[in-house]
Amino acid sequence: MKYPLDCEISFDKSYLFWLCRFIRNKITSLSNRQVKDKNRLAQILHELITGYNTISELKSSIKEVRNIGINSIHVYFIPLEKLYNFLINFGAASLKEIDEELLSDFLASETANLSDATKKNYRIALISFFGYIDKQNEEKNGFVHRYGIELKNWGGLSGKSGTKLPSFMKKEEVQRFIQAIDKYEFSNKIAARNKLIIKIILYTGIRVNEAINIDLKDFNKDEDAYIIQVRGKGNKPRVVMIKESIIENDLKEWLEYRLTNENLLFCNQKGKALSQAYISSIVEKILLSAGIRKEKNGAHMLRHTFATMLYQKSKDLILVQESLGHADINTSRIYTHFDKDKLKRTTDIF
């Protein structure tokens, strides 16, 4: 069914109407292999058809959708939420006022300090959103409004100079962080679980999303180590390994306390998966307790730390690529920027 472009009495309601339908469309097109609560997801999809009264209500549902297991939906929502606030401040009265020039202004102001990768995500979100509206709007007289947004001439991407180097811990900071993990005072019931998942992320470099979805059947002991099979982006499987001595105490304690019959290694008391936001908040608290401050203090920084140290010790870019599960070796190449041995050679030129 198609709807008029300005289908509500106010601009903010019309925008929210289309955003809810677009988000629903994206949820149904993204991979649902890791969905934990199918009934709740079906309920949210119905709510998106009914619509929400405020952008805050929609934002809460997006967070819940991510926790359920559709993690990449925020890549679309965040830019479109910011566009909503931008247009409200702009004083837009109709969706017909939006054009490519206005969207370029939005991108210029909102993405100035972001990496090229994030800027590309913003551009894709805008093109997808207005492309969806192009196909779904129609007035009573049969007229269809076409945005035709392409943003080909947007000059916000600055090439390699716009790519940010990732935050990571130095060797001395890693040692302090590891000590802080064991010293940090968690609730007794979840201490072992939290320590275990953080150590696995740090020592294997797996993504947070991969860690919170580890299945018990994919976590197996092999001599003095544990072999873990994880599924990365695009549902691609790979294997990582961690020494038994690093996690044996926390693992034993957690498995003894773990009361659920669910297959997830890491879960709450109801057997549900932990959220990425929860893990990142724990990591940030431990970092602060150790006096370590980085530009980004979340759990993903542990992955960058692992990759940086792996390359520094091995000088093997293929190993870094395979360990991190990068489809393209050029993605792994960023860690060569931290090769101190090569940098030291430059100091001897003169």
Side-chain angles (χ1 to χ4, degrees):
M1 184 175 179
K2 297 187 176 182
Y3 301 89
L5 185 63
D6 289 309
C7 50
E8 299 284 350
I9 58 174
S10 62
F11 169 80
D12 61 322
K13 295 294 184 183
S14 291
Y15 185 98
L16 191 57
F17 172 88
W18 286 111
L19 183 55
C20 286
R21 276 156 179 74
F22 171 72
I23 290 297
R24 180 183 181 276
N25 176 263
K26 295 311 299 182
I27 290 174
T28 56
S29 66
L30 294 171
S31 172
N32 65 350
R33 193 191 73 84
Q34 294 179 340
V35 168
K36 304 299 186 301
D37 191 339
K38 296 179 181 178
N39 292 331
R40 179 53 186 149
L41 180 60
Q43 186 179 356
I44 291 174
L45 290 173
H46 178 72
E47 291 173 1
L48 287 166
I49 295 176
T50 306
Y52 295 99
N53 293 320
T54 66
I55 195 82
S56 297
E57 292 178 3
L58 175 57
K59 187 174 184 177
S60 296
S61 286
I62 294 296
K63 182 178 180 181
E64 193 170 356
V65 168
R66 291 188 67 193
N67 291 339
I68 286 173
I70 301 183
N71 302 291
S72 54
I73 190 63
H74 71 292
V75 174
Y76 294 94
F77 176 72
I78 291 175
L80 296 173
E81 179 196 18
K82 291 190 175 182
L83 177 61
Y84 170 86
N85 295 324
F86 175 85
L87 293 172
I88 293 297
N89 293 330
F90 174 76
S94 167
L95 287 170
K96 295 184 177 69
E97 296 178 28
I98 302 173
D99 58 18
E100 189 139 340
E101 184 177 1
L102 184 59
L103 294 179
S104 293
D105 290 343
F106 162 73
L107 289 172
S109 63
E110 290 293 329
T111 68
N113 297 319
L114 302 179
S115 68
D116 275 2
T118 305
K119 289 178 180 179
K120 289 176 182 177
N121 288 339
Y122 270 63
R123 179 177 176 271
I124 291 170
L126 297 186
I127 292 173
S128 300
F129 179 52
F130 289 101
Y132 173 82
I133 298 178
D134 281 349
K135 296 176 182 178
Q136 299 297 325
N137 84 92
E138 184 177 324
E139 304 294 335
K140 291 181 180 180
N141 60 5
F143 175 79
V144 175
H145 186 88
R146 294 292 186 210
Y147 286 103
I149 301 298
E150 295 182 346
L151 294 169
K152 287 184 178 180
N153 297 321
W154 175 52
L157 297 177
S158 52
K160 292 183 178 179
S161 63
T163 302
K164 287 187 176 181
L165 296 179
S167 298
F168 68 99
M169 287 185 284
K170 298 176 183 177
K171 184 177 180 179
E172 178 272 331
E173 291 174 324
V174 172
Q175 292 172 343
R176 282 162 48 201
F177 179 72
I178 292 172
Q179 292 171 357
I181 294 174
D182 290 321
K183 291 180 181 178
Y184 194 83
E185 294 185 2
F186 295 102
S187 166
N188 290 334
K189 295 180 179 180
I190 60 172
R193 180 198 67 188
N194 290 354
K195 292 176 183 178
L196 179 62
I197 192 170
I198 293 170
K199 288 177 182 178
I200 288 177
I201 294 171
L202 177 64
Y203 281 90
T204 65
I206 62 177
R207 299 177 180 91
V208 182
N209 180 53
E210 294 167 347
I212 61 179
N213 287 291
I214 293 174
D215 197 295
L216 280 171
K217 70 178 182 348
D218 297 326
F219 190 88
N220 299 294
K221 193 171 183 298
D222 186 305
E223 297 181 353
D224 63 344
Y226 279 91
I227 294 177
I228 311 170
Q229 180 173 308
V230 297
R231 290 195 173 272
K233 292 182 178 179
N235 202 26
K236 294 179 181 178
R238 74 179 189 284
V239 173
V240 297
M241 182 180 288
I242 186 170
K243 291 183 177 179
E244 179 187 14
S245 59
I246 296 170
I247 60 171
E248 57 182 339
N249 293 333
D250 295 321
L251 178 62
K252 180 180 178 181
E253 186 177 338
W254 167 236
L255 292 180
E256 288 177 353
Y257 172 76
R258 188 177 172 277
L259 301 176
T260 180
N261 292 323
E262 297 293 332
N263 293 327
L264 285 175
L265 173 60
F266 301 109
C267 54
N268 60 23
Q269 291 179 333
K270 296 180 180 179
K272 303 299 181 183
L274 306 176
S275 71
Q276 295 186 55
Y278 174 73
I279 302 303
S280 283
S281 69
I282 294 171
V283 171
E284 184 170 17
K285 290 175 182 176
I286 296 174
L287 285 166
L288 293 176
S289 73
I292 302 171
R293 294 181 180 274
K294 298 295 176 181
E295 183 179 356
K296 292 187 177 180
N297 265 6
H300 196 69
M301 190 267 290
L302 304 185
R303 176 172 164 87
H304 291 316
T305 298
F306 169 85
T308 302
M309 296 189 70
L310 179 61
Y311 182 77
Q312 287 178 349
K313 289 189 175 184
S314 69
K315 301 297 189 290
D316 187 339
L317 201 57
I318 300 293
L319 177 60
V320 174
Q321 179 193 11
E322 293 177 347
S323 298
L324 297 187
H326 287 159
D328 188 346
I329 195 169
N330 287 319
T331 307
S332 312
R333 202 174 296 280
I334 193 170
Y335 298 107
T336 63
H337 288 281
F338 310 115
D339 189 343
K340 291 188 292 184
D341 292 336
K342 286 184 178 180
L343 290 174
K344 284 180 180 178
R345 292 177 206 164
T346 66
T347 65
D348 297 327
I349 289 177
F350 293 102

